């Protein structure tokens, strides 16, 4: 399956996610994305740096203090642990999960159930890790 197919079928296709991207774990390239959901180079690098701190460090502190920017929007982080960052903006939010080689960045809309959205992204991350990605 192509990276774009994972975005289209395994994330957005579930109905729990309305837009998503898969970026490299180093935060230096976008492998696949929903049209119009574009992360800047600075956003990708920063997300990678935050995830590399495993929940503790200066970048994690910065996110808790100032928020996290994804595709030009600011989100308030409410959970940063190990491989994931969860953030929200009103009734919408982002779920960011790191695998061995990739970072899944998913956005859910205001009508989505947050738990279902989270489970969708975490399950794909588990699958990719088992597949060596």
């Amino acid at each position: 399956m192509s990276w774009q197919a994972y975005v289209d079928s395994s994330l957005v296709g579930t109905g729990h996610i309305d837009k998503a991207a898969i970026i490299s774990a180093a935060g230096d390239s976008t492998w696949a994305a929903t049209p119009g959901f574009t992360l800047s180079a600075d956003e990708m690098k920063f997300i990678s740096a935050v995830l590399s701190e495993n929940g503790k460090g200066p970048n994690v502190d910065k996110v808790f203090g100032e928020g996290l920017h994804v595709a030009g929007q600011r989100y308030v982080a409410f959970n940063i642990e190990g491989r994931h960052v969860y953030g929200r903006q009103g009734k919408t939010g982002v779920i960011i999960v790191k695998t061995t080689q990739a970072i899944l960045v998913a956005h859910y809309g205001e009508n989505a159930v947050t738990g279902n959205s989270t489970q969708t992204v975490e399950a794909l991350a588990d699958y990719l890790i088992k597949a060596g990605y």
Side-chain angles (χ1 to χ4, degrees):
M1 188 179 285
S2 72
W3 292 113
Q4 191 62 48
Y6 285 119
V7 168
D8 296 341
S9 300
S10 300
L11 294 173
V12 177
T14 66
H16 301 300
I17 301 297
D18 61 0
K19 45 193 169 184
I22 299 175
I23 65 173
S24 69
D28 58 6
S29 61
T30 301
W31 295 353
T34 303
F37 190 63
T38 305
L39 282 75
S40 73
D42 288 342
E43 290 172 341
M44 291 189 293
K45 283 283 189 196
F46 188 69
I47 289 168
S48 176
V50 169
L51 289 167
S52 71
E53 293 180 348
N54 285 325
K56 296 177 184 169
N59 290 313
V60 171
D61 293 342
K62 183 175 180 179
V63 170
F64 278 128
E66 301 174 16
L68 179 68
H69 289 83
V70 176
Q73 298 293 311
R74 181 181 171 274
Y75 295 88
V76 175
F78 64 91
N79 188 331
I80 302 175
E81 291 180 14
R83 72 178 193 175
H84 68 247
V85 176
Y86 302 155
R88 66 176 151 239
Q89 180 189 67
K91 294 181 180 180
T92 68
V94 290
I95 301 154
I96 303 169
V97 183
K98 183 177 181 181
T99 68
T100 307
Q101 298 180 29
I103 298 172
L104 310 178
V105 182
H107 179 275
Y108 58 89
E110 60 183 55
N111 293 324
V113 176
T114 306
N116 292 343
S117 301
T118 302
Q119 182 180 14
T120 297
V121 181
E122 292 281 2
L124 178 58
D126 289 342
Y127 170 79
L128 290 174
I129 289 168
K130 285 178 186 171
Y133 294 106

